[in-house]
Coordinates of all heavy atoms in Angstrom, one line a residue:
L1 N 108.0 112.9 96.2 CA 106.6 112.6 96.3 C 105.8 113.4 95.2 O 104.9 112.8 94.6 CB 106.1 112.9 97.7 CG 104.6 112.7 97.9 CD1 104.3 111.2 97.7 CD2 104.2 113.2 99.3
R2 N 106.1 114.6 95.1 CA 105.4 115.4 94.1 C 105.5 114.9 92.7 O 104.5 114.8 92.0 CB 105.9 116.9 94.1 CG 105.1 117.8 93.2 CD 105.6 119.2 93.3 NE 104.9 120.0 92.4 CZ 105.4 121.0 91.7 NH1 106.7 121.2 91.8 NH2 104.7 121.7 90.8
D3 N 106.7 114.5 92.3 CA 106.9 113.9 91.0 C 106.2 112.6 90.8 O 105.5 112.4 89.8 CB 108.4 113.7 90.7 CG 109.2 115.0 90.5 OD1 108.5 116.1 90.2 OD2 110.4 115.0 90.7
A4 N 106.2 111.8 91.8 CA 105.5 110.5 91.8 C 104.0 110.7 91.7 O 103.3 110.0 90.9 CB 105.9 109.7 93.0
L5 N 103.5 111.7 92.4 CA 102.1 112.0 92.2 C 101.7 112.5 90.8 O 100.7 112.1 90.2 CB 101.7 113.1 93.3 CG 101.5 112.6 94.7 CD1 101.4 113.8 95.7 CD2 100.3 111.7 94.9
S6 N 102.6 113.4 90.3 CA 102.4 113.9 89.0 C 102.4 112.9 87.9 O 101.6 112.9 87.0 CB 103.4 115.0 88.7 OG 103.2 116.1 89.5
E7 N 103.3 111.9 88.0 CA 103.4 110.9 87.0 C 102.4 109.7 87.2 O 102.3 108.9 86.4 CB 104.8 110.4 86.8 CG 105.4 109.7 88.1 CD 106.9 109.5 88.0 OE1 107.6 110.3 87.4 OE2 107.4 108.5 88.6
G8 N 101.8 109.7 88.4 CA 100.8 108.7 88.7 C 101.3 107.4 89.2 O 100.5 106.5 89.4
S9 N 102.5 107.4 89.6 CA 103.1 106.2 90.2 C 102.6 106.0 91.7 O 102.7 104.9 92.2 CB 104.6 106.1 90.1 OG 105.2 107.2 90.8
V10 N 102.2 107.0 92.3 CA 101.6 106.9 93.6 C 100.3 107.8 93.6 O 100.2 108.8 92.9 CB 102.5 107.4 94.8 CG1 103.7 106.5 95.0 CG2 102.9 108.8 94.7
R11 N 99.4 107.4 94.4 CA 98.1 108.1 94.5 C 97.7 108.3 96.0 O 98.0 107.5 96.8 CB 97.0 107.4 93.8 CG 97.3 107.2 92.3 CD 96.2 106.3 91.7 NE 94.9 107.0 91.7 CZ 93.9 106.6 91.0 NH1 94.0 105.5 90.3 NH2 92.8 107.3 91.1
A12 N 97.1 109.4 96.3 CA 96.6 109.7 97.6 C 95.5 108.7 98.0 O 95.4 108.3 99.2 CB 96.1 111.1 97.8
A13 N 94.8 108.2 97.1 CA 93.7 107.2 97.3 C 93.6 106.4 96.1 O 93.9 106.8 95.0 CB 92.4 107.9 97.7
E14 N 93.2 105.1 96.3 CA 93.1 104.2 95.2 C 91.7 103.5 95.3 O 91.2 103.3 96.3 CB 94.2 103.1 95.2 CG 95.6 103.7 95.1 CD 96.7 102.7 95.2 OE1 96.7 101.8 94.3 OE2 97.5 102.7 96.1
P15 N 91.2 103.1 94.1 CA 89.9 102.4 94.1 C 90.1 101.1 94.9 O 91.0 100.4 94.8 CB 89.7 102.1 92.6 CG 90.5 103.1 91.9 CD 91.7 103.4 92.7
D16 N 89.1 100.8 95.7 CA 89.0 99.6 96.5 C 87.6 99.2 96.7 O 86.8 99.8 97.5 CB 89.7 99.9 97.9 CG 89.7 98.6 98.8 OD1 89.1 97.6 98.4 OD2 90.3 98.7 99.8
P17 N 87.2 98.2 95.9 CA 85.7 97.8 96.0 C 85.3 97.3 97.4 O 84.1 97.3 97.7 CB 85.6 96.7 94.9 CG 87.0 96.2 94.7 CD 87.9 97.4 95.0
D18 N 86.3 96.9 98.2 CA 85.9 96.4 99.5 C 85.7 97.5 100.6 O 85.2 97.3 101.7 CB 87.0 95.4 100.1 CG 87.1 94.2 99.2 OD1 86.0 93.7 98.6 OD2 88.2 93.6 99.1
A19 N 86.2 98.7 100.2 CA 86.0 99.8 101.2 C 84.6 100.4 101.1 O 84.0 100.4 100.0 CB 87.1 100.9 100.8
P20 N 84.1 100.9 102.2 CA 82.7 101.4 102.2 C 82.5 102.5 101.2 O 81.4 102.7 100.6 CB 82.6 102.0 103.6 CG 83.6 101.3 104.5 CD 84.7 100.9 103.5
T21 N 83.5 103.4 101.0 CA 83.4 104.5 100.0 C 83.8 104.1 98.6 O 83.6 104.9 97.7 CB 84.2 105.7 100.5 OG1 85.6 105.3 100.5 CG2 83.8 106.2 101.8
G22 N 84.4 102.9 98.5 CA 85.0 102.5 97.2 C 86.4 102.9 97.0 O 87.0 102.7 95.9
W23 N 87.0 103.6 98.0 CA 88.3 104.1 97.9 C 89.1 103.8 99.1 O 88.6 103.8 100.2 CB 88.3 105.7 97.7 CG 87.8 106.1 96.4 CD1 86.5 106.3 96.0 CD2 88.6 106.3 95.2 NE1 86.4 106.7 94.7 CE2 87.7 106.7 94.2 CE3 89.9 106.2 94.9 CZ2 88.1 107.0 92.9 CZ3 90.3 106.5 93.6 CH2 89.4 106.9 92.6
R24 N 90.4 103.6 99.0 CA 91.3 103.3 100.1 C 92.4 104.4 100.1 O 93.0 104.7 99.1 CB 92.0 102.0 99.9 CG 93.0 101.7 101.1 CD 93.6 100.3 100.9 NE 94.1 100.0 99.5 CZ 95.2 100.3 99.0 NH1 96.1 101.0 99.7 NH2 95.5 100.0 97.7
V25 N 92.5 105.1 101.2 CA 93.5 106.2 101.4 C 94.8 105.6 101.6 O 95.0 104.7 102.5 CB 93.0 107.2 102.5 CG1 94.1 108.2 102.8 CG2 91.7 107.8 102.2
N26 N 95.8 106.1 100.9 CA 97.2 105.8 101.2 C 97.7 106.8 102.2 O 98.1 107.9 101.9 CB 98.1 105.8 99.9 CG 97.7 104.7 99.0 OD1 97.4 103.6 99.4 ND2 97.7 105.0 97.7
A27 N 97.8 106.4 103.5 CA 98.1 107.3 104.6 C 99.4 108.0 104.4 O 99.5 109.2 104.7 CB 98.0 106.6 105.9
W28 N 100.4 107.3 104.0 CA 101.8 107.9 103.9 C 101.8 109.0 102.9 O 102.5 110.0 103.0 CB 102.9 106.9 103.7 CG 102.8 106.2 102.3 CD1 102.1 105.1 101.9 CD2 103.6 106.7 101.2 NE1 102.3 104.9 100.6 CE2 103.2 105.8 100.1 CE3 104.4 107.7 100.9 CZ2 103.7 105.9 98.8 CZ3 105.0 107.8 99.6 CH2 104.6 107.0 98.6
V29 N 101.0 108.8 101.8 CA 101.0 109.8 100.7 C 100.2 111.1 101.3 O 100.7 112.2 101.1 CB 100.3 109.3 99.4 CG1 100.2 110.4 98.4 CG2 101.1 108.1 98.9
K30 N 99.1 110.8 101.9 CA 98.3 111.9 102.5 C 99.2 112.7 103.5 O 99.2 113.9 103.5 CB 97.1 111.3 103.2 CG 96.2 112.3 103.9 CD 95.1 111.7 104.6 CE 94.3 112.7 105.4 NZ 93.2 112.0 106.2
K31 N 100.0 112.0 104.4 CA 100.8 112.7 105.3 C 101.9 113.6 104.6 O 102.2 114.7 105.0 CB 101.5 111.7 106.2 CG 100.6 111.1 107.3 CD 101.4 110.2 108.1 CE 100.4 109.5 109.1 NZ 101.1 108.5 109.9
G32 N 102.4 113.0 103.5 CA 103.4 113.8 102.7 C 102.9 115.1 102.1 O 103.5 116.1 102.1
I33 N 101.7 114.9 101.6 CA 101.0 116.1 101.0 C 100.7 117.2 102.1 O 101.0 118.3 101.9 CB 99.7 115.7 100.3 CG1 100.0 114.8 99.1 CG2 98.9 116.9 99.9 CD1 98.8 114.1 98.5
L34 N 100.1 116.7 103.2 CA 99.8 117.6 104.2 C 101.0 118.3 104.9 O 100.9 119.4 105.4 CB 98.9 116.9 105.3 CG 97.5 116.5 104.8 CD1 96.8 115.7 105.8 CD2 96.7 117.7 104.3
L35 N 102.1 117.6 104.9 CA 103.3 118.2 105.5 C 103.7 119.5 104.9 O 104.1 120.4 105.6 CB 104.4 117.2 105.4 CG 105.7 117.6 106.1 CD1 105.5 117.8 107.6 CD2 106.8 116.5 105.9
G36 N 103.6 119.6 103.6 CA 104.0 120.8 102.9 C 103.0 121.9 103.3 O 103.5 123.1 103.5
F37 N 101.8 121.7 103.4 CA 100.8 122.7 103.9 C 101.1 123.1 105.3 O 101.1 124.3 105.6 CB 99.4 122.2 103.8 CG 98.9 122.0 102.4 CD1 98.6 120.7 101.9 CD2 98.7 123.1 101.5 CE1 98.2 120.6 100.6 CE2 98.2 122.9 100.3 CZ 98.0 121.7 99.8
R38 N 101.4 122.1 106.1 CA 101.7 122.4 107.6 C 102.9 123.3 107.7 O 102.9 124.3 108.4 CB 101.8 121.1 108.3 CG 102.0 121.4 109.8 CD 101.9 120.1 110.6 NE 101.9 120.4 112.0 CZ 102.7 119.8 112.9 NH1 103.5 118.8 112.5 NH2 102.7 120.2 114.1
F39 N 104.0 122.9 107.0 CA 105.2 123.7 107.1 C 104.9 125.1 106.6 O 105.3 126.1 107.3 CB 106.3 123.1 106.2 CG 107.5 124.0 106.1 CD1 108.5 123.9 107.2 CD2 107.8 124.9 105.1 CE1 109.6 124.8 107.2 CE2 108.9 125.7 105.1 CZ 109.8 125.6 106.1
G40 N 104.2 125.3 105.5 CA 103.9 126.6 105.0 C 103.1 127.4 106.0 O 103.3 128.6 106.2
R41 N 102.1 126.8 106.6 CA 101.3 127.5 107.6 C 102.0 127.9 108.8 O 101.9 129.0 109.3 CB 100.1 126.6 107.9 CG 99.0 127.2 108.6 CD 97.7 126.4 108.8 NE 98.0 125.0 109.2 CZ 97.8 123.9 108.4 NH1 97.5 124.1 107.1 NH2 98.1 122.7 108.8
L42 N 102.9 127.0 109.3 CA 103.7 127.3 110.5 C 104.8 128.3 110.3 O 105.0 129.2 111.0 CB 104.2 126.0 111.1 CG 103.2 125.0 111.7 CD1 103.9 123.7 112.0 CD2 102.5 125.6 112.8
A43 N 105.5 128.1 109.2 CA 106.7 128.9 108.9 C 106.4 130.2 108.3 O 107.0 131.2 108.6 CB 107.7 128.1 108.1
A44 N 105.5 130.2 107.3 CA 105.3 131.4 106.5 C 103.9 132.0 106.7 O 103.6 133.0 106.1 CB 105.6 131.1 105.0
H45 N 103.1 131.3 107.5 CA 101.7 131.7 107.7 C 100.9 131.6 106.4 O 100.0 132.4 106.1 CB 101.6 133.1 108.3 CG 102.3 133.2 109.6 ND1 102.0 134.1 110.6 CD2 103.4 132.5 110.1 CE1 102.9 134.0 111.6 NE2 103.7 133.0 111.3
D46 N 101.3 130.7 105.5 CA 100.7 130.6 104.2 C 100.7 129.1 103.8 O 101.8 128.5 103.5 CB 101.6 131.4 103.2 CG 101.0 131.3 101.7 OD1 100.1 130.5 101.5 OD2 101.6 131.9 100.9
P47 N 99.6 128.4 103.8 CA 99.6 127.0 103.5 C 100.0 126.6 102.1 O 100.4 125.5 101.9 CB 98.1 126.6 103.8 CG 97.3 127.8 103.8 CD 98.3 128.9 104.2
R48 N 100.0 127.6 101.2 CA 100.4 127.3 99.8 C 101.9 127.7 99.6 O 102.4 127.6 98.5 CB 99.5 128.1 98.9 CG 98.1 127.6 98.9 CD 97.2 128.4 97.9 NE 98.0 128.9 96.8 CZ 97.6 129.8 95.9 NH1 96.4 130.3 96.1 NH2 98.3 130.2 95.0
F49 N 102.6 128.1 100.6 CA 104.0 128.5 100.5 C 104.9 127.6 99.7 O 105.6 127.9 98.8 CB 104.5 128.8 101.9 CG 105.9 129.4 101.9 CD1 106.2 130.7 101.4 CD2 107.0 128.6 102.3 CE1 107.5 131.2 101.4 CE2 108.3 129.1 102.3 CZ 108.5 130.4 101.9
V50 N 104.9 126.3 100.2 CA 105.8 125.3 99.5 C 105.4 125.1 98.1 O 106.3 125.1 97.2 CB 105.8 124.0 100.3 CG1 106.5 122.9 99.6 CG2 106.3 124.2 101.7
E51 N 104.2 125.0 97.8 CA 103.7 124.8 96.4 C 104.1 126.0 95.5 O 104.5 125.9 94.4 CB 102.2 124.5 96.3 CG 101.7 124.2 95.0 CD 102.3 122.8 94.4 OE1 102.7 122.0 95.2 OE2 102.3 122.7 93.2
D52 N 103.9 127.2 96.1 CA 104.2 128.4 95.4 C 105.7 128.5 95.1 O 106.1 128.9 94.0 CB 103.7 129.7 96.1 CG 102.2 129.8 96.1 OD1 101.5 129.1 95.4 OD2 101.8 130.7 96.9
L53 N 106.5 128.1 96.0 CA 108.0 128.1 95.8 C 108.3 127.2 94.6 O 109.1 127.5 93.8 CB 108.7 127.7 97.0 CG 108.8 128.7 98.2 CD1 109.5 128.1 99.4 CD2 109.4 130.0 97.8
R54 N 107.7 126.0 94.7 CA 108.0 125.0 93.6 C 107.5 125.5 92.2 O 108.1 125.2 91.2 CB 107.2 123.7 93.9 CG 107.8 123.0 95.0 CD 107.1 121.7 95.3 NE 107.7 120.9 96.4 CZ 107.1 120.2 97.2 NH1 105.8 120.0 97.1 NH2 107.7 119.5 98.2
N55 N 106.5 126.4 92.2 CA 106.0 127.0 91.0 C 106.7 128.3 90.6 O 106.3 129.0 89.7 CB 104.5 127.2 91.1 CG 103.8 125.9 91.1 OD1 104.2 124.9 90.4 ND2 102.7 125.9 91.8
G56 N 107.8 128.6 91.3 CA 108.7 129.7 90.9 C 108.5 131.0 91.7 O 109.1 132.0 91.4
R57 N 107.6 131.0 92.7 CA 107.4 132.2 93.5 C 108.7 132.6 94.2 O 109.4 131.7 94.8 CB 106.3 132.0 94.5 CG 106.1 133.1 95.5 CD 105.0 132.7 96.5 NE 105.1 133.6 97.7 CZ 104.4 133.3 98.8 NH1 103.6 132.3 98.9 NH2 104.5 134.1 99.8
T58 N 109.0 133.9 94.3 CA 110.1 134.4 95.1 C 109.5 135.0 96.3 O 108.7 136.0 96.2 CB 110.9 135.4 94.3 OG1 111.4 134.8 93.1 CG2 112.0 135.9 95.0
P59 N 109.8 134.6 97.5 CA 109.2 135.2 98.7 C 109.8 136.6 98.9 O 110.9 136.9 98.6 CB 109.7 134.2 99.8 CG 110.9 133.5 99.3 CD 110.7 133.5 97.8
R60 N 108.9 137.4 99.6 CA 109.4 138.7 100.0 C 110.4 138.6 101.0 O 110.5 137.6 101.8 CB 108.2 139.5 100.5 CG 107.2 139.8 99.4 CD 106.1 140.7 100.0 NE 105.5 140.2 101.2 CZ 104.2 139.9 101.4 NH1 103.4 140.1 100.4 NH2 103.8 139.4 102.5
P61 N 111.3 139.6 101.2 CA 112.3 139.5 102.2 C 111.8 139.2 103.6 O 112.4 138.4 104.4 CB 113.0 140.8 102.1 CG 112.8 141.3 100.7 CD 111.4 140.8 100.4
E62 N 110.7 139.8 104.0 CA 110.2 139.6 105.4 C 109.6 138.1 105.5 O 109.8 137.6 106.6 CB 109.1 140.6 105.7 CG 107.9 140.7 104.8 CD 108.1 141.7 103.6 OE1 109.2 142.1 103.4 OE2 107.1 141.9 103.0
T63 N 109.1 137.6 104.5 CA 108.6 136.2 104.5 C 109.8 135.2 104.6 O 109.9 134.3 105.4 CB 107.8 135.8 103.3 OG1 106.7 136.7 103.2 CG2 107.3 134.4 103.3
E64 N 110.9 135.5 103.8 CA 112.1 134.7 103.9 C 112.7 134.8 105.3 O 113.1 133.7 105.8 CB 113.1 135.3 102.8 CG 114.2 134.4 102.6 CD 115.1 134.8 101.4 OE1 114.5 135.5 100.5 OE2 116.3 134.6 101.5
A65 N 112.7 135.9 105.9 CA 113.3 136.1 107.2 C 112.5 135.3 108.2 O 113.0 134.6 109.1 CB 113.4 137.5 107.6
R66 N 111.1 135.3 108.1 CA 110.2 134.6 109.0 C 110.5 133.1 108.9 O 110.6 132.4 109.9 CB 108.8 134.9 108.7 CG 107.8 134.3 109.6 CD 106.3 134.5 109.3 NE 106.1 135.9 109.0 CZ 105.5 136.3 107.8 NH1 105.1 135.4 106.9 NH2 105.3 137.6 107.6
V67 N 110.7 132.6 107.7 CA 110.9 131.2 107.5 C 112.3 130.8 108.1 O 112.4 129.8 108.7 CB 110.8 130.8 106.0 CG1 111.3 129.4 105.7 CG2 109.4 131.0 105.5
E68 N 113.3 131.6 107.8 CA 114.6 131.3 108.4 C 114.6 131.3 109.9 O 115.2 130.4 110.5 CB 115.6 132.4 107.9 CG 115.9 132.2 106.4 CD 116.8 133.3 105.9 OE1 117.1 134.3 106.6 OE2 117.2 133.2 104.7
R69 N 113.8 132.2 110.5 CA 113.7 132.2 112.0 C 113.0 130.9 112.5 O 113.4 130.3 113.5 CB 113.0 133.4 112.5 CG 113.8 134.7 112.5 CD 113.1 135.8 113.2 NE 111.7 136.1 112.8 CZ 111.4 136.9 111.8 NH1 112.4 137.6 111.1 NH2 110.2 137.1 111.4
F70 N 112.0 130.5 111.8 CA 111.2 129.3 112.1 C 112.2 128.1 112.0 O 112.2 127.3 112.9 CB 110.1 129.1 111.2 CG 109.3 127.8 111.4 CD1 108.4 127.7 112.4 CD2 109.6 126.7 110.6 CE1 107.7 126.5 112.6 CE2 109.0 125.5 110.8 CZ 108.0 125.4 111.8
I71 N 112.9 128.0 110.9 CA 113.8 126.8 110.8 C 114.9 126.8 111.9 O 115.2 125.8 112.4 CB 114.5 126.9 109.4 CG1 113.4 126.6 108.3 CG2 115.6 125.9 109.2 CD1 113.8 126.8 106.9
A72 N 115.4 128.0 112.2 CA 116.5 128.1 113.3 C 115.9 127.6 114.6 O 116.5 126.9 115.3 CB 117.0 129.5 113.3
R73 N 114.7 128.1 114.9 CA 114.0 127.7 116.2 C 113.7 126.2 116.2 O 114.0 125.5 117.2 CB 112.7 128.4 116.4 CG 112.9 129.8 116.9 CD 111.6 130.5 117.4 NE 110.5 130.3 116.5 CZ 110.1 131.2 115.6 NH1 110.8 132.3 115.4 NH2 109.1 131.0 114.8
F74 N 113.3 125.7 115.1 CA 113.0 124.2 115.0 C 114.3 123.4 115.1 O 114.3 122.4 115.8 CB 112.3 123.9 113.6 CG 112.0 122.5 113.5 CD1 110.8 122.0 114.1 CD2 112.7 121.6 112.7 CE1 110.5 120.6 113.9 CE2 112.4 120.3 112.5 CZ 111.3 119.8 113.2
G75 N 115.3 123.8 114.5 CA 116.6 123.1 114.7 C 117.1 123.1 116.1 O 117.6 122.1 116.6
E76 N 117.0 124.3 116.7 CA 117.4 124.4 118.1 C 116.6 123.5 119.0 O 117.1 122.8 119.9 CB 117.3 125.8 118.6 CG 118.3 126.8 118.0 CD 117.9 128.2 118.3 OE1 117.0 128.5 119.1 OE2 118.6 129.1 117.8
A77 N 115.3 123.4 118.8 CA 114.4 122.5 119.6 C 114.7 121.1 119.3 O 114.7 120.3 120.3 CB 112.9 122.8 119.3
A78 N 115.0 120.7 118.1 CA 115.4 119.3 117.8 C 116.7 118.9 118.4 O 116.8 117.8 118.9 CB 115.4 119.2 116.3
H79 N 117.6 119.8 118.5 CA 118.9 119.4 119.1 C 118.8 119.4 120.6 O 119.6 118.8 121.3 CB 120.0 120.4 118.7 CG 120.4 120.3 117.2 ND1 120.8 119.1 116.7 CD2 120.3 121.2 116.2 CE1 121.1 119.3 115.4 NE2 120.7 120.5 115.1
A80 N 117.8 120.1 121.2 CA 117.7 120.1 122.7 C 117.1 118.8 123.2 O 117.3 118.5 124.3 CB 116.8 121.3 123.1
N81 N 116.4 118.1 122.3 CA 115.8 116.8 122.8 C 116.7 115.7 122.6 O 117.4 115.3 122.1 CB 114.5 116.6 122.0 CG 113.4 117.6 122.3 OD1 113.4 118.1 123.4 ND2 112.6 117.9 121.3

């Protein structure tokens, strides 16, 4: 999704003269963008976490451990359902 956004093949919103604001939101793109922020906020307590990793940030050991615990708990909850 990130590459497609960067190259312009998908957009979060597109011009739409029939829309009241002149723009139409692409909901699936919006959800994909927000998912990265949500994961970062929930797992690392940092909404920019995913983007920072993509830009080369190395997480501190305590942040890495927090994310690993979050993923382990999420996996356990998913398998329980």
Side-chain angles (χ1 to χ4, degrees):
L1 177 63
R2 180 177 179 221
D3 291 340
L5 284 166
S6 294
E7 62 192 30
S9 59
V10 297
R11 298 175 67 170
E14 298 181 60
D16 182 352
D18 296 329
T21 63
W23 290 88
R24 178 178 43 85
V25 173
N26 291 321
W28 71 273
V29 176
K30 179 181 172 185
K31 286 179 184 179
I33 293 168
L34 294 176
L35 184 60
F37 291 111
R38 184 167 185 230
F39 175 81
R41 195 171 42 253
L42 293 172
H45 306 202
D46 179 358
R48 293 181 28 195
F49 182 70
V50 172
E51 186 67 23
D52 288 348
L53 290 177
R54 289 181 179 147
N55 290 327
R57 172 181 163 194
T58 301
R60 293 186 308 238
E62 57 271 13
T63 302
E64 191 172 330
R66 185 181 315 125
V67 170
E68 288 173 355
R69 285 191 305 272
F70 175 85
I71 291 171
R73 281 192 312 266
F74 181 78
E76 290 169 7
H79 291 300
N81 293 330

